[in-house]
Amino acid sequence: MGIPKDYNVEVVKREVVIPATVIQEHVLPFSNIDLTVPPCGVHVFFCYDKPFQTSFVSVLSNLKSSLSRAFMSCSAFAGRLVSHGDGDLQMVCNGKGAEFSEAYADICLTQVEFCNPIAAIEGKLVPLLVKDSEGNGSPVFAVQVTKFSCGGIVVSCTFDHRIADSFSTNLFFTCWANLSRNEPIGFITPSFTRSILVPRDPPDCCSEIKKMYTKVQLFPQSNMQIPHPPITSRIYYLNAKDIEMLQQNANQNGNKYTKLEAFSAYLWKMLIQGQEIENTMNCNMGIVVDGRSHLTRMGMPTNYFGNVISLPFARARAKDIKKEPLSWSAKGTVGPPQVHCGATVPVVTCKYTQGLQVHCSHP
């Protein structure tokens, strides 16, 4: 079956799902790490075959009902980002809820080119975080459920990254999924304690952190439009054998690297070789990692809700990345922990079963 270049999605209904019971309004403080996360919405989608024992109407009703109950375990996703007098944002847990959209697509689910998310997913299958028209602030969570012509269903969500990282969000998704199946939620009430992430006073920063920032300089205003390179976004799937082969190639001369380190080194080489970059130019390779395994040893609760991420990176000249073997590039992706936002975070290892899915965005 050929893959169509485009397809249509019609949103037929939008409503707001609120918590099952009234939530006492309160403010959730941002941590020092939350404040470093840019204002961006993260899209997550789940694909399902046509359900044979229930109707789409029943699926929608069940998802809305279970989402309403899930908000009771994590009220942050039903709140709003509100700007107060000095321009700073506050996360207000006020129970205003999240927009829930019902949509229909005019093709079969198997025809969607998921590997090209910008063309096939954004603006079609994932919802936007639309500012509250009543002046209650900006929502941080939205849901869209899309039915395809074959009966397949995509449940997609968008959440504001400033509120939570993927670990925290996955706890909420697990709670919601279990409630939708009438199973025990298996969910520990999230902890919103921020004391472990209070900045040092006086500050104590590693000198490496200075390489991650640059001074802001004021330039004369100009009407000249500076072109920006387009962002390319792709989703790749690599099977287990390919990952193991990359790891074997990287583990030369007695070195041992994780599967994620080996793949990151390979991706680094491919991106540099596929672009016209001067040989003398320094190129960075960054990997977003979860710092919980480190900070829990320092007193952070295992059920901490919020952002606990860092971005360690390697740097090398383009010509070295191109000509040196994979084992050399892999060596550049590891090393001593990087210091970022007051938290020391080691490079994460990769766990996999049948393969590895990678979402890569780059100019």
Side-chain angles (χ1 to χ4, degrees):
M1 182 179 295
I3 300 177
K5 294 182 179 179
D6 197 10
Y7 66 99
N8 297 314
V9 175
E10 181 183 5
V11 177
V12 300
K13 186 177 182 180
R14 289 186 173 93
E15 58 184 300
V16 176
V17 175
I18 62 175
T21 59
V22 177
I23 294 177
Q24 182 177 0
E25 183 173 318
H26 60 281
V27 175
L28 174 62
F30 281 115
S31 75
N32 198 35
I33 300 180
D34 292 330
L35 295 174
T36 67
V37 178
C40 63
V42 179
H43 307 310
V44 182
F45 61 92
F46 307 89
C47 304
Y48 302 92
D49 291 329
K50 177 182 178 179
F52 291 100
Q53 298 181 349
T54 186
S55 65
F56 184 57
V57 174
S58 298
V59 170
L60 292 172
S61 177
N62 182 35
L63 286 174
K64 286 183 282 188
S65 173
S66 54
L67 177 62
S68 178
R69 288 177 285 152
F71 281 147
M72 299 307 302
S73 297
C74 186
S75 60
F77 280 130
R80 296 289 186 271
L81 278 175
V82 179
S83 177
H84 52 79
D86 55 6
D88 292 335
L89 285 176
Q90 287 184 337
M91 181 59 216
V92 180
C93 300
N94 51 17
K96 295 298 182 180
E99 186 176 78
F100 190 103
S101 303
E102 174 186 347
Y104 294 85
D106 60 1
I107 64 170
C108 182
L109 180 58
T110 57
Q111 294 177 291
V112 180
E113 192 180 12
F114 285 108
C115 63
N116 187 1
I118 291 180
I121 301 174
E122 293 186 16
K124 295 180 181 292
L125 300 181
V126 292
L128 298 176
L129 295 175
V130 181
K131 192 171 183 179
D132 197 320
S133 60
E134 298 179 0
N136 294 316
S138 302
V140 297
F141 188 68
V143 180
Q144 178 177 315
V145 182
T146 306
K147 180 181 179 182
F148 288 77
S149 59
C150 60
I153 298 173
V154 168
V155 179
S156 60
C157 309
T158 299
F159 67 92
D160 194 309
H161 203 334
R162 292 171 292 183
I163 302 303
D165 56 18
S166 58
F167 181 93
S168 300
T169 306
N170 190 59
L171 290 177
F172 175 74
F173 285 155
T174 301
C175 173
W176 181 16
N178 289 348
L179 287 171
S180 70
R181 295 191 294 264
N182 292 320
E183 297 177 358
I185 61 176
F187 180 79
I188 303 174
T189 301
S191 171
F192 300 103
T193 302
R194 297 296 193 255
S195 59
I196 188 64
L197 296 177
V198 172
R200 298 181 183 95
D201 187 15
D204 181 17
C205 299
C206 172
S207 60
E208 288 293 314
I209 200 171
K210 296 181 180 180
K211 299 179 181 179
M212 303 182 67
Y213 299 94
T214 184
K215 292 183 178 179
V216 176
Q217 298 180 357
L218 297 178
F219 294 96
Q221 293 185 354
S222 172
N223 295 325
M224 182 179 64
Q225 296 294 327
I226 301 176
H228 295 281
I231 296 296
T232 300
S233 183
R234 293 289 186 271
I235 296 177
Y236 301 98
Y237 179 83
L238 293 86
N239 61 44
K241 291 184 178 180
D242 290 336
I243 297 295
E244 291 170 354
M245 181 183 67
L246 288 175
Q247 188 179 28
Q248 291 174 3
N249 291 337
N251 289 344
Q252 297 179 4
N253 303 322
N255 296 319
K256 291 185 178 181
Y257 301 108
T258 67
K259 294 176 177 63
L260 181 59
E261 290 164 354
F263 172 77
S264 299
Y266 175 76
L267 179 63
W268 198 13
K269 290 177 68 68
M270 293 300 100
L271 289 175
I272 300 304
Q273 292 175 1
Q275 301 181 71
E276 296 181 359
I277 298 178
E278 296 181 5
N279 287 333
T280 57
M281 181 176 292
N282 286 326
C283 301
N284 296 339
M285 177 66 179
I287 305 174
V288 179
V289 298
D290 180 10
R292 281 176 169 78
S293 61
H294 177 80
L295 293 180
T296 50
R297 297 194 297 268
M298 300 172 61
M300 172 176 281
T302 56
N303 57 336
Y304 176 86
F305 184 94
N307 285 286
V308 194
I309 56 176
S310 185
L311 187 63
F313 64 93
R315 173 178 294 172
R317 291 184 302 177
K319 70 174 185 178
D320 295 329
I321 302 171
K322 293 177 182 178
K323 72 175 185 179
E324 296 294 342
L326 186 64
S327 57
W328 185 91
S329 300
K331 186 177 181 180
T333 63
V334 297
Q338 303 275 347
V339 175
H340 181 43
C341 308
T344 305
V345 184
V347 174
V348 73
T349 58
C350 176
K351 295 181 180 180
Y352 77 109
T353 52
Q354 301 299 320
L356 175 67
Q357 180 172 296
V358 181
H359 188 187
C360 177
S361 297
H362 62 88

